Amino acid sequence: MAKFVLAGRADCPYYAKAELLADYLQKNLPDFRIHKITQHPDIWEEWLKDLCKKNRWSHNKSPIIWRELLDRGGKGLLLGGYNEFLEHAQLYYGVTSSMTTELMKRVAQENLGTHIEKELEKESLKGLVNPLQVWITSASSLACYHLIPILTSGEVFGPQMEISINLFDNKHTEEKLISHKQEAEDLASPCLQSVSICTQAEEAFHGAHVIIILDDHVDKEINSLEDCIRSRAPLCQLYGSLIEKNAHNFAKIIVGGKTFVNLKTALLMKYAPTFAHNIIAVALGVEGQAKAALARKLKITPSCIKDVIIWGNISGNNYVDLRKAKVYRYESAIWGPPHYSRPVLSLLFDREWVNREFVVSLKTLTATGRQFGGMLAAHSIATTLKYWCHGSPPGEIVSLGVLSEGQFGIPKGIVFSMPVKFENGTWVVLTDLKNTEISQQVMTRMANDLIQEQLVALGELANFQPYQSETDLNQEDVKTTLPTKNDHQERRKVSDDYKDLFTHLMPDDEKDLILSDGESVE
């Protein structure tokens, strides 16, 4: 079989004449096949130059005809141009063309019109399959580095969903962004259509379907808690205005990290009010730390523990609730099928460990973020996004920072971590859970700190004053260190004038709430 390729400038009369002859031969000769390629006049010369360079041919006119070597493979055998093709057809097939010059010109114009229509159709089809635009802030961070391969794996958005990742950060991080971009492309993931870099704020979040807010950089020294809190407001205001201006109407915005997560979420809701219902804070990192601590105590894997609830400030004063927590596949005298579970509190006989060591270790991790590194941040964000898109496991409780509407007695208008489930592309607060009451003192402590954070950030309150009960006033003040830098920077000390917002322990009577009603440990 003889297969020829005919390529030419779309408005070339000689291409039109060669095309007519080739169509005639293909119609009348069973072993003759022709493949036609047209290029717009504006790009023809460059296209022809690249083609000849690739195949080591010498040709500079339209059209160009070559024969594909179907039986042997290879680059093909150059036949030549219009004159060579006519000579070949007459010599081998006894056929020639009698097309007039006028007809050649008319067909050439028709070819150009057809070519333009096809190109426009291709562009419109591309518009129908636009990839999901995912934007990541502070993209030079370690969390982003770990997040990219998870997003491109197909686990989060689905194996059929193509995504474009946009890495947004400061200009001075451009070298690291380029490195992230190159490594992401090296993954050769079928889900990843493109990776781009953005260092200009005005271009951020353009067409964004998903926006992931990571811990921001702090470039200047911060000596007080109030300064640290206030430093979040300008950036959130900038992000909020850009989201309002550039993001897709139904964009999902997810705030992760380890520094003032609730506060940043609340500020974004204030400065991007159109998207307030679609802004959430990730609490799965703290939940994962709690599960890991319990698993080490029970000598099981963390994935066997479900339904640990994180209440309050994700990166500050929170309350880890074990009253609904369950253990699956626990090796003991009582054994059951895979769906069989036992309450965590029924297996923890060391009351002192629950009320002291467990609480202290989690509060310390929440405050310093020493073990809340890039891997944990990335996994918790990706898992939350996966649940948001596809739903959380049936019957499982998920902790999530959302805007309070007064559920569980939480004051309205603050971002508070609470139990939810994901379904149908959104989340539902699990207000029907029983035995989830929290003492007024614990609730007041958590809510007061969150309210004060917002007031200080907005300049409506000069000094942050942590909530103190009568029990607190009788205890010695505890000093603290506050993380004001990213994962790779040293923590700086907060002025001794401020209370320990993040690691201050609950009084014993409040810690006992971790246990279920009527539960006692000897």
Side-chain angles (χ1 to χ4, degrees):
M1 178 181 289
K3 180 180 178 181
F4 290 85
V5 180
L6 170 63
R9 205 176 64 236
D11 63 345
C12 174
Y14 296 101
Y15 172 86
K17 190 169 184 176
E19 179 188 30
L20 185 65
L21 177 58
D23 287 342
Y24 176 85
L25 293 173
Q26 181 169 253
K27 182 178 179 180
N28 292 278
L29 299 174
D31 292 332
F32 184 94
R33 293 291 180 267
I34 186 72
H35 175 68
K36 293 177 283 188
I37 301 173
T38 57
Q39 296 292 340
H40 194 278
D42 293 341
I43 65 172
W44 162 253
E45 290 186 7
E46 189 67 28
W47 183 87
L48 179 61
K49 181 180 178 181
D50 292 341
L51 176 71
C52 292
K53 181 179 180 181
K54 177 183 177 182
N55 293 284
R56 298 179 181 178
W57 292 338
S58 177
H59 191 86
N60 56 10
K61 294 180 180 179
S62 175
I64 180 173
I65 303 102
W66 69 91
R67 181 175 177 176
E68 295 286 347
L69 303 177
L70 297 180
D71 55 340
R72 288 171 288 169
K75 63 182 180 180
L77 180 65
L78 178 64
L79 182 63
Y82 163 75
N83 290 327
E84 288 79 8
F85 182 58
L86 258 62
E87 183 179 339
H88 178 86
Q90 189 171 15
L91 179 63
Y92 282 89
Y93 307 114
V95 178
T96 188
S97 175
S98 58
M99 178 184 282
T100 63
T101 302
E102 188 64 32
L103 182 58
M104 287 168 57
K105 292 179 179 179
R106 189 166 69 247
V107 172
Q109 290 303 311
E110 291 176 358
N111 283 344
L112 178 60
T114 302
H115 175 83
I116 293 174
E117 287 179 7
K118 286 183 177 180
E119 290 299 310
L120 292 174
E121 184 178 354
K122 286 181 182 178
E123 290 300 317
S124 65
L125 289 175
K126 286 182 181 178
L128 296 176
V129 291
N130 277 340
L132 194 73
Q133 296 292 331
V134 180
W135 282 78
I136 306 174
T137 70
S138 303
S140 62
S141 66
L142 189 61
C144 177
Y145 182 81
H146 288 289
L147 183 60
I148 291 173
I150 306 177
L151 295 178
T152 59
S153 68
E155 288 185 35
V156 177
F157 304 110
Q160 305 303 319
M161 176 64 71
E162 290 190 350
I163 66 172
S164 286
I165 294 179
N166 305 272
L167 306 175
F168 177 43
D169 211 328
N170 298 327
K171 182 70 176 177
H172 64 80
T173 66
E174 190 167 6
E175 185 176 342
K176 187 169 288 188
L177 294 181
I178 292 173
S179 176
H180 284 7
K181 177 180 184 294
Q182 291 173 343
E183 286 202 53
E185 292 170 341
D186 291 344
L187 294 173
S189 169
C191 295
L192 181 61
Q193 188 177 100
S194 65
V195 184
S196 63
I197 292 172
C198 178
T199 57
Q200 301 296 322
E202 61 273 11
E203 299 173 5
F205 311 135
H206 182 72
H209 298 102
V210 176
I211 300 173
I212 301 170
I213 307 292
L214 299 178
D215 280 330
D216 48 283
H217 304 287
V218 179
D219 297 321
K220 62 180 181 179
E221 183 174 340
I222 295 177
N223 296 312
S224 72
L225 174 61
E226 286 79 3
D227 288 343
C228 190
I229 293 173
R230 293 189 190 102
S231 69
R232 269 61 194 174
L235 191 60
C236 288
Q237 185 173 10
L238 173 64
Y239 285 171
S241 63
L242 292 170
I243 290 169
E244 286 282 328
K245 178 182 177 182
N246 297 334
H248 188 274
N249 291 338
F250 302 101
K252 291 178 169 66
I253 302 153
I254 185 166
V255 182
K258 64 185 182 186
T259 311
F260 299 104
V261 176
N262 295 56
L263 174 62
K264 290 187 291 187
T265 305
L267 291 174
L268 285 172
M269 290 177 177
K270 174 180 174 62
Y271 294 121
T274 306
F275 297 86
H277 63 289
N278 256 14
I279 304 177
I280 61 175
V282 177
L284 289 186
V286 181
E287 189 177 310
Q289 289 175 326
K291 290 178 179 178
L294 292 168
R296 286 190 289 270
K297 183 67 175 178
L298 295 172
K299 295 180 173 55
I300 58 174
T301 58
S303 63
C304 294
I305 300 176
K306 308 290 184 184
D307 298 345
V308 173
I309 302 174
I310 308 299
W311 298 90
N313 193 345
I314 297 165
S315 53
N317 194 359
N318 53 49
Y319 169 43
V320 180
D321 191 347
L322 303 182
R323 290 173 292 180
K324 296 295 180 183
K326 303 182 185 71
V327 178
Y328 293 82
R329 301 190 299 278
Y330 184 71
E331 294 186 13
S332 66
I334 303 174
W335 191 257
H339 63 271
Y340 174 75
S341 65
R342 300 175 65 184
V344 165
L345 292 174
S346 70
L347 302 173
L348 290 172
F349 303 108
D350 187 349
R351 184 186 181 96
E352 184 68 18
W353 181 87
V354 173
N355 288 340
R356 292 284 184 183
E357 187 177 336
F358 177 66
V359 174
V360 171
S361 63
L362 289 181
K363 290 296 179 184
T364 303
L365 289 174
T366 302
T368 64
R370 289 174 192 165
Q371 295 184 25
F372 202 102
M375 192 180 299
L376 178 57
H379 183 267
S380 58
I381 290 169
T383 303
T384 304
L385 268 175
K386 177 183 176 181
Y387 290 169
W388 199 350
C389 295
H390 305 291
S392 53
E396 191 169 317
I397 299 173
V398 179
S399 300
L400 186 71
V402 297
L403 188 66
S404 169
E405 297 178 355
Q407 308 97 323
F408 307 105
I410 303 166
K412 293 183 179 180
I414 62 174
V415 174
F416 204 91
S417 179
M418 60 184 78
V420 307
K421 66 176 178 180
F422 286 90
E423 60 181 8
N424 301 321
T426 187
W427 66 89
V428 178
V429 178
L430 298 176
T431 55
D432 57 346
L433 288 178
K434 299 185 183 302
N435 189 27
T436 56
E437 297 79 11
I438 301 176
S439 75
Q440 187 62 45
Q441 187 172 343
V442 175
M443 181 65 74
T444 302
R445 179 193 300 274
M446 292 188 292
N448 179 78
D449 288 352
L450 288 169
I451 292 170
Q452 286 207 57
E453 280 185 5
Q454 291 189 45
L455 293 175
V456 171
L458 297 172
E460 298 176 15
L461 187 66
N463 297 318
F464 184 93
Q465 296 294 334
Y467 171 79
Q468 290 183 299
S469 65
E470 292 183 5
T471 308
D472 296 332
L473 294 174
N474 295 327
Q475 293 180 339
E476 183 181 357
D477 292 349
V478 182
K479 311 306 178 185
T480 187
T481 55
L482 178 73
T484 59
K485 298 285 184 179
N486 62 23
D487 291 355
H488 302 293
Q489 293 174 299
E490 294 183 355
R491 295 172 285 117
R492 299 190 180 278
K493 290 187 177 180
V494 182
S495 170
D496 288 343
D497 295 336
Y498 300 105
K499 294 289 184 183
D500 180 2
L501 170 61
F502 302 111
T503 61
H504 193 68
L505 302 182
M506 295 182 185
D508 289 346
D509 59 334
E510 295 175 14
K511 291 174 192 170
D512 286 344
L513 285 173
I514 293 178
L515 299 178
S516 59
D517 288 350
E519 188 78 39
S520 63
V521 179
E522 298 300 325

